[in-house]
Amino acid sequence: MATAPENSKADDVFAASPQQVNILVVIDTEYVKAHYPPNSSISSPDKPPGIDHNSQFMICTGSRGAVTGQGTADLSFKANVGDNVSFTGVSIYDNSDDAVIIYGIQYWNGDKVFNQFVPNVVTRKKAVFPNPETSNGLPPLQEQMTFATYDAKVARSGKENFYVYFALYKLSDDGQSQNLYGYYCWDPQIIVP
């Protein structure tokens, strides 16, 4: 009688262990501004208007299976119950001109797969950034920086469509400050087997 290789038990334990799924959202703010008027005075963060799927680009790592729509606004990824899912976002300018903040994930349709999403902030004392005094940015400089994600644990199996809420901040005419342009949302999905 044949026996399973010794490492198959370890593989089974690893597969059952919680996994981290990371979603990076990049927003083409020029597209949003060209197609949607500023709405900071007529909209609230709780009820942002939905937008089409032409300005959002999502990249997923850690999915439990094939990811469809990688690099688009129509991302569909897989996770297991107990996995942690984190969203973070930036503008196509890496928030240096216009800026984007992901501030909410809201259930929309289907099975309610996620627990409540919460903000998670991490401060690195010596985060690196390019050195402006050199031609290639190296060696980098280090400075304290704060990084934010929006996180939840997968609570149950199913297929959930949800809204991703983001705030867009437009670079002001003085080129030094960023002011609220509007709140927006769109709807990707998750599948939990």
Side-chain angles (χ1 to χ4, degrees):
M1 176 186 250
T3 59
E6 280 186 39
N7 67 351
S8 68
K9 282 189 178 184
D11 291 343
D12 290 344
V13 170
F14 180 71
S17 297
Q19 188 163 303
Q20 180 65 43
V21 179
N22 295 300
I23 312 293
L24 172 64
V25 179
V26 180
I27 304 290
D28 178 353
T29 56
E30 293 303 328
Y31 180 90
V32 175
K33 292 185 301 185
H35 292 85
Y36 298 95
N39 66 23
S40 59
S41 63
I42 60 170
S43 173
S44 77
D46 298 331
K47 295 187 189 254
I51 63 174
D52 67 33
H53 292 204
N54 295 317
S55 64
Q56 311 91 324
F57 305 92
M58 294 188 290
I59 301 166
C60 175
T61 63
S63 176
R64 292 287 189 156
V67 177
T68 59
Q70 188 81 279
T72 73
D74 296 312
L75 182 74
S76 181
F77 62 96
K78 294 183 180 177
N80 285 352
V81 172
D83 285 348
N84 298 301
V85 178
S86 294
F87 282 81
T88 190
V90 297
S91 71
I92 195 70
Y93 305 110
D94 194 25
N95 285 353
S96 66
D97 287 354
D98 295 338
V100 165
I101 295 175
I102 302 289
Y103 69 87
I105 309 290
Q106 182 69 42
Y107 168 81
W108 169 59
N109 189 7
D111 304 303
K112 195 162 183 166
V113 167
F114 291 117
N115 281 327
Q116 182 69 36
F117 275 85
V118 295
N120 188 10
V121 177
V122 174
T123 301
R124 305 276 184 218
K125 286 188 176 182
K126 294 185 176 183
V128 298
F129 63 97
N131 184 340
E133 302 298 321
T134 64
S135 62
N136 63 3
L138 299 176
L141 300 177
Q142 293 181 316
E143 175 177 293
Q144 182 170 308
M145 291 186 188
T146 300
F147 303 91
T149 57
Y150 215 68
D151 306 341
K153 188 175 283 286
V154 176
R156 61 193 57 84
S157 61
K159 179 176 168 182
E160 179 179 336
N161 295 298
F162 55 95
Y163 292 119
V164 177
Y165 294 169
F166 70 95
L168 190 159
Y169 294 83
K170 181 181 175 186
L171 184 65
S172 66
D173 292 340
D174 67 9
Q176 298 299 314
S177 59
Q178 296 165 322
N179 300 307
L180 180 63
Y181 182 84
Y183 304 105
Y184 303 95
C185 71
W186 84 101
D187 55 342
Q189 72 176 213
I190 181 175
I191 300 169
V192 179

